[in-house]
Amino acid sequence: MNKMYQTKHELWLSITFASFAINNEDIKSRLYEFSLIAFRHMKWLADDILACGNNYNYDRNMTLYKKENVFEIIKTLEKEVKKIQTLYKDDVLGQRLQTDDTYLLEYLSQILKNDANNQQITAFNMQRKWLDKNLEQEQIDALTMFLFEESYKEYELILVYAFMQARTSDVTQFSVFQDLIDESHFHLKSFGNMMAKLGILALPRELHELTYVIKDLQKFVKDGIAEEEAAKVMCKELSDAIKDEELSKFFDFINYQESYHIELMKKLL
């Protein structure tokens, strides 16, 4: 069961980062919707594993290969989806996962039928230029550092909150965890797409078990509040440093969202 969970975790990341890498807005949006379905699969699999008295972890064994065009990404996704379908159990949950994946495969096949979809991938070119804006190098460096640190933080929080949510029967905790998971999905999506525009798209590093196996919830929440406060400082510094009104307003927006995350986490205390 943990092998299936690990493979689904890897597939979720593959679909998510494929959506970040592809420039076509229709394909990007649709793939991201499928990535959220894959994440729900992870939730249901986690519940099923725990109900059977077993456990799972966030180990992974994958590489984000630097593809040069859309079709290379789509064909790789096809292989991953077909691979995981052999692992599903023959039960109600397994049938749901199977049929979702079958439709994903159909969508991927439709993309491959249209040669116009096979556009160049620029998400890995390392150019570090922000659209047509002429940002100074120190501003690009600050933005790069922020995106690498914060994309890992959001990935970490999604998985940590999901891990704890699967193990609570407290309604308030469950609700707060869900809000924080949803918010972190949005932030990861925002930062991932920005990394792709800069040509620096990369997977966040893997989580160590000590990161998400929480023994002291109160200490974890207090540390999380401190981490959110630090993120607010980084957002404010970046907003002040970048001489681009659109980017500055975006980081102000993220800063305000982090403020509410702190209030949500205070509910857990």
Side-chain angles (χ1 to χ4, degrees):
M1 289 293 288
N2 190 58
K3 174 64 177 176
M4 186 198 306
Y5 188 88
Q6 177 179 331
T7 308
K8 180 61 71 172
H9 176 194
E10 293 167 355
L11 180 60
W12 165 60
L13 282 175
S14 294
I15 302 171
T16 300
F17 278 77
S19 79
F20 298 159
I22 293 173
N23 293 323
N24 181 297
E25 288 296 334
D26 289 338
I27 298 175
K28 175 189 289 291
S29 176
R30 198 68 187 281
L31 283 180
Y32 189 74
E33 290 175 356
F34 279 112
S35 79
L36 294 180
I37 292 174
F39 188 79
R40 286 202 295 277
H41 289 181
M42 290 173 62
K43 179 181 183 296
W44 297 335
L45 285 169
D47 291 342
D48 194 45
I49 291 169
L50 294 176
C52 294
N54 298 314
N55 211 337
Y56 60 93
N57 57 46
Y58 289 133
D59 292 352
R60 66 180 208 225
N61 181 25
M62 64 180 299
T63 302
L64 186 64
Y65 293 107
K66 298 180 179 181
K67 307 298 186 182
E68 296 184 0
N69 58 62
V70 170
F71 280 9
E72 288 183 1
I73 290 179
I74 298 303
K75 289 176 181 177
T76 301
L77 278 181
E78 277 190 324
K79 291 178 182 177
E80 291 188 46
V81 176
K82 290 176 180 177
K83 172 186 172 184
I84 197 172
Q85 286 190 319
T86 63
L87 301 177
Y88 295 146
K89 295 191 297 182
D90 185 18
D91 57 12
V92 173
L93 175 59
Q95 290 169 10
R96 167 62 194 263
L97 306 186
Q98 179 88 32
T99 53
D100 281 357
D101 284 359
T102 298
Y103 186 67
L104 172 56
L105 287 171
E106 171 60 24
Y107 176 68
L108 297 178
S109 72
Q110 292 299 320
I111 295 174
L112 295 172
K113 288 178 181 177
N114 186 352
D115 289 339
N117 290 327
N118 196 21
Q119 299 171 1
Q120 181 183 7
I121 297 296
T122 59
F124 309 108
N125 63 20
M126 302 297 289
Q127 286 193 359
R128 294 212 303 149
K129 292 182 179 179
W130 182 251
L131 305 177
D132 58 350
K133 307 293 179 66
N134 189 25
L135 297 183
E136 295 179 3
Q137 190 59 50
E138 63 181 20
Q139 296 174 40
I140 291 290
D141 291 344
L143 180 58
T144 299
M145 180 70 72
F146 176 88
L147 291 175
F148 271 105
E149 291 184 0
E150 291 302 297
S151 62
Y152 168 75
K153 188 197 86 168
E154 301 301 345
Y155 168 68
E156 174 191 60
L157 291 178
I158 288 169
L159 296 186
V160 172
Y161 292 140
F163 197 85
M164 293 192 294
Q165 186 187 53
R167 289 160 175 78
T168 186
S169 57
D170 183 281
V171 175
T172 299
Q173 286 187 19
F174 189 94
S175 176
V176 170
F177 290 145
Q178 187 61 56
D179 286 338
L180 292 168
I181 290 167
D182 292 343
E183 294 277 279
S184 289
H185 272 300
F186 172 73
H187 287 188
L188 178 62
K189 177 184 177 183
S190 300
F191 300 151
N193 282 323
M194 292 176 76
M195 292 175 79
K197 288 177 181 178
L198 285 169
I200 57 171
L201 186 62
L203 280 176
R205 63 187 180 274
E206 189 175 347
L207 269 63
H208 191 281
E209 188 175 87
L210 292 178
T211 307
Y212 54 87
V213 179
I214 306 301
K215 301 293 180 63
D216 185 338
L217 180 58
Q218 190 165 23
K219 181 180 184 302
F220 168 79
V221 173
K222 288 181 177 179
D223 290 346
I225 290 173
E227 188 175 23
E228 295 288 1
E229 293 282 8
K232 281 173 54 62
V233 172
M234 287 185 66
C235 281
K236 185 65 170 63
E237 289 176 348
L238 198 56
S239 176
D240 293 342
I242 291 181
K243 309 306 179 185
D244 178 83
E245 185 177 1
E246 183 179 353
L247 277 176
S248 292
K249 287 184 176 179
F250 171 74
F251 286 112
D252 285 341
F253 161 68
I254 295 295
N255 180 26
Y256 298 140
Q257 291 196 334
E258 301 287 10
S259 295
Y260 192 66
H261 295 175
I262 291 171
E263 296 306 312
L264 287 172
M265 297 179 79
K266 286 179 178 178
K267 284 187 179 182
L268 297 176
L269 294 178

